[in-house]
């Protein structure tokens, strides 16, 4: 079975990534990096929580657990034992736009890694006992990370209220009632549908020979038949016209609030400018909101900003934990004043250049090791459709100007386009799960 070379691009200084494709649709991104005799072998599937349906949420995340179980040729626990015997590591992650599985191995054990990944792509055993065991693990994980964790609750409520139509509105881990109700025939159907070579990209970064890698993957994956992939629904989230606020009492000492401003998807030009805005607001101790809330007013103990790298329109999130004696509404007023000041008096060129330097440093630092390179290549290929978007995003960050910053702040950081979730101490005067706005 022959490979077709489709594209190539830089993946950091001195490293070139190439994308190949087999006739069954399997993608391969290979990037040789010989600085150490190790390899990062990752398998990215174009399936995440956005590909689920109401009533069956949490399926993609459940598979993140199931895929480490028994296969037709590997007894329970054998996958992990074989990886650990090499001195390597294995892990996985699920998000809104993708699921991926990663192996970090000595270069000499690359063939073992390929064999293991090919085995679980096509021969996973989905019987009642292992499925129920992992279902219990996931329900416990949901209790610990969401239902018994204030930050998890804030995050889930923000997504559920910021999005009214788009599948980003349900949690990646799934709703508890859905996790418990996932039926075995549906679980098997999900595996046959989405865990197929034409829905996957293998990313290999490290010390290997390009031709030998392609021969190895063709040997183990070449006979796997492609699946009939369903059409992915592209739901357009309606414009938000009014601020949404959710409040609830929680067992905490001070208020915590999470704000989400509607933002563009990562592949849109304005995303890079908003990434610089998030750094300007809370990317370092001298950032505007951190300086005002934490240092000057001492009204907050922490301030964080994050622009979510989603395929579709995302959120610029501000997370604040208030200091004792201060309340969420006071914090909101300060945030509004600081954003208004950013609009009225756009940041100077030196301030923008400092934020750009911080953002670009974070960007390139994530690509220092082979695992980071593989993860970046896999994300851009899977979420945005082309691993070369890594270079595009880097160039966009470099080209952001002070005028761009002022423009995107005016466009996106409007109260009418934000959703606010507030957790208050239980002894505060508040109604349970009160909601205002749309």
């Amino acid at each position: 079975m022959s490979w077709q070379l489709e594209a190539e691009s830089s993946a950091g200084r001195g490293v070139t990534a190439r994308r190949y494709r087999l006739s069954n649709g399997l993608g391969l991104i290979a990037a040789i990096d010989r600085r150490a005799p190790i390899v990062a072998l990752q398998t990215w599937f174009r399936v995440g929580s956005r590909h689920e349906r109401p009533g069956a949420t949490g399926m993609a995340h459940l598979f993140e657990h199931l895929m480490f179980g028994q296969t037709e040729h590997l007894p329970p626990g054998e996958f992990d034992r074989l990886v650990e015997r090499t001195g390597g590591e294995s892990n996985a992650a699920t998000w809104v736009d993708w699921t991926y599985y990663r192996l970090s191995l000595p270069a000499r054990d690359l063939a073992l890694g390929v064999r293991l990944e090919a085995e679980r792509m096509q021969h996973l055993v989905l019987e009642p006992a292992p499925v129920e065991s992992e279902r219990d693990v996931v329900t416990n994980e949901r209790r610990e990370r969401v239902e018994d964790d204030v930050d998890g609750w804030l995050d889930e409520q923000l997504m559920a209220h910021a999005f009214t139509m788009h599948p980003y509105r349900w949690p990646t881990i799934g709703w508890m009632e859905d996790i418990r109700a996932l039926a075995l025939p549906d679980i098997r159907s999900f595996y046959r549908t989405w865990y197929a070579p034409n829905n996957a990209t293998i990313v290999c970064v490290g010390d290997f020979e390009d031709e030998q890698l392609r021969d190895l993957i063709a040997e183990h994956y070449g006979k796997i038949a492609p699946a009939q992939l369903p059409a992915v629904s592209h739901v357009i989230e309606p414009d938000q016209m009014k601020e949404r606020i959710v409040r609830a009492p929680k067992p905490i000492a001070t208020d915590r609030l999470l704000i989400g401003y509607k933002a563009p998807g990562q592949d849109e030009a304005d995303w890079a400018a908003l990434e610089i805005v998030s750094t300007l607001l809370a990317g370092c101790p001298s950032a505007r909101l951190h300086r005002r809330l934490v240092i000057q007013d001492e009204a907050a103990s922490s301030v964080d900003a994050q622009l979510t790298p989603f395929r579709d329109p995302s959120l610029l999130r501000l997370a604040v934990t208030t200091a004792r004696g201060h309340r969420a509404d006071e914090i909101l007023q300060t945030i509004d004043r600081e954003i208004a000041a950013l609009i009225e008096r756009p940041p100077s060129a030196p301030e923008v250049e400092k934020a750009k330097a911080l953002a670009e440093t974070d960007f390139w630092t994530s690509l220092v090791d082979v695992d980071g390179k593989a993860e970046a290549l896999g994300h851009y290929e899977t979420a945005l459709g082309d691993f070369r978007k890594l270079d595009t995003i880097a160039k966009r960050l470099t080209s952001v100007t002070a005028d761009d910053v002022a423009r995107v702040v005016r466009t996106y950081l409007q109260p009418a386009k934000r959703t606010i979730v507030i957790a208050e101490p239980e002894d505060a005067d508040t109604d349970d799960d009160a909601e205002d706005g749309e």
Side-chain angles (χ1 to χ4, degrees):
M1 182 170 286
S2 61
W3 289 95
Q4 178 181 354
L5 174 62
E6 293 184 336
E8 67 178 46
S9 180
S10 171
R13 183 172 296 173
V15 176
T16 299
R18 295 179 175 86
R19 183 178 66 219
Y20 303 92
R21 195 165 306 278
L22 275 177
S23 58
N24 62 1
L26 178 71
L28 167 65
I29 297 176
I32 296 174
D33 184 342
R34 301 196 189 280
R35 286 177 295 176
I38 55 176
V39 291
L41 181 67
Q42 300 181 1
T43 306
W44 288 73
F45 293 95
R46 290 181 289 277
V47 59
S49 57
R50 66 170 296 159
H51 300 89
E52 299 163 351
R53 57 178 174 80
T57 65
M59 184 80 82
H61 176 258
L62 177 62
F63 265 90
E64 178 192 322
H65 292 257
L66 291 171
M67 286 286 282
F68 288 90
Q70 180 180 357
T71 72
E72 292 179 11
H73 304 104
L74 297 173
E78 185 66 11
F79 184 100
D80 286 332
R81 282 192 291 270
L82 289 172
V83 173
E84 290 168 3
R85 194 176 300 163
T86 70
E89 297 179 349
S90 64
N91 212 330
T94 310
W95 211 22
V96 293
D97 295 313
W98 44 251
T99 304
Y100 85 99
Y101 301 85
R102 71 175 187 87
L103 295 178
S104 301
L105 299 165
R108 63 177 179 271
D109 294 306
L110 176 59
L112 171 65
V114 171
R115 177 171 66 84
L116 291 175
E117 290 293 358
E119 170 68 16
R120 63 177 173 177
M121 179 186 282
Q122 57 186 321
H123 297 307
L124 189 65
V125 172
L126 294 171
E127 295 297 333
V131 168
E132 292 311 311
S133 175
E134 295 306 326
R135 192 197 307 268
D136 287 344
V137 171
V138 173
T139 55
N140 287 330
E141 180 183 344
R142 179 177 167 82
R143 290 189 193 96
E144 293 175 4
R145 296 188 178 183
V146 180
E147 296 170 8
D148 296 334
D149 182 82
V150 175
D151 291 326
W153 175 85
L154 286 165
D155 181 77
E156 184 170 279
Q157 291 299 309
L158 177 66
M159 300 298 287
H161 289 85
F163 296 97
T164 61
M165 296 294 295
H166 196 283
Y168 288 164
R169 70 186 187 274
W170 55 73
T172 299
I173 198 170
W175 300 115
M176 183 67 88
E177 59 270 26
D178 292 352
I179 300 169
R180 288 172 171 162
L182 294 173
L184 187 57
D186 292 334
I187 292 171
R188 289 170 172 164
S189 176
F190 189 93
Y191 177 64
R192 290 193 301 270
T193 300
W194 297 106
Y195 279 70
N198 54 321
N199 197 47
T201 299
I202 297 172
V203 183
C204 187
V205 180
D207 186 11
F208 60 88
E209 299 299 330
D210 193 282
E211 185 175 356
Q212 290 179 5
L213 172 67
R214 283 182 280 130
D215 289 344
L216 189 62
I217 291 178
E219 175 188 351
H220 289 280
Y221 287 88
K223 295 180 181 179
I224 305 176
Q228 184 67 42
L229 299 175
V232 177
S233 175
H234 296 286
V235 177
I236 298 176
E237 178 68 22
D239 289 339
Q240 184 171 336
M241 307 303 293
K242 186 178 180 182
E243 182 180 75
R244 301 166 187 161
I245 304 178
V246 179
R247 300 173 185 264
K250 294 292 175 181
I252 51 179
T254 64
D255 289 0
R256 298 186 201 176
L257 64 157
L258 186 59
I259 308 168
Y261 292 90
K262 288 292 175 58
Q266 192 180 19
D267 199 23
E268 297 184 46
D270 281 352
W271 190 92
L274 277 171
E275 178 75 348
I276 302 305
V277 170
S278 71
T279 305
L280 279 167
L281 292 175
C284 66
S286 63
R288 293 191 175 206
L289 287 180
H290 188 277
R291 185 175 65 243
R292 170 61 63 184
L293 291 170
V294 178
I295 299 174
Q296 295 180 7
D297 296 350
E298 297 183 345
S301 59
S302 67
V303 180
D304 182 61
Q306 179 201 26
L307 181 60
T308 49
F310 291 172
R311 177 188 181 93
D312 290 343
S314 57
L315 297 175
L316 193 158
R317 301 153 57 108
L318 299 176
V320 183
T321 299
T322 64
R324 289 188 180 274
H326 297 270
R327 300 306 304 270
D329 290 332
E330 172 194 349
I331 298 294
L332 284 170
Q333 291 175 7
T334 302
I335 290 173
D336 287 343
R337 286 195 296 269
E338 289 295 320
I339 290 175
L342 196 57
I343 294 172
E344 294 167 9
R345 298 183 299 279
S348 65
E351 186 180 6
V352 172
E353 288 305 312
K354 177 181 178 181
K356 286 169 60 176
L358 290 168
E360 291 175 50
T361 298
D362 287 343
F363 180 88
W364 292 114
T365 298
S366 68
L367 302 177
V368 167
D369 59 25
V370 294
D371 293 304
K373 284 188 178 71
E375 185 172 344
L377 292 167
H379 167 79
Y380 289 110
E381 177 71 18
T382 307
L384 304 189
D386 191 339
F387 74 96
R388 292 171 292 182
K389 294 293 175 67
L390 185 156
D391 189 53
T392 301
I393 298 295
K395 291 177 179 176
R396 286 176 179 169
L397 288 172
T398 302
S399 64
V400 172
T401 66
D403 288 341
D404 293 329
V405 168
R407 176 180 54 79
V408 297
V409 170
R410 287 194 304 270
T411 302
Y412 299 100
L413 301 194
Q414 302 177 21
K417 295 183 178 181
R418 73 184 178 191
T419 301
I420 304 167
V421 185
I422 301 172
E424 302 172 323
E426 288 178 329
D427 58 358
D429 184 14
T430 183
D431 294 327
D432 191 22
D433 288 329
E435 182 177 349
D436 302 314
E438 286 185 307

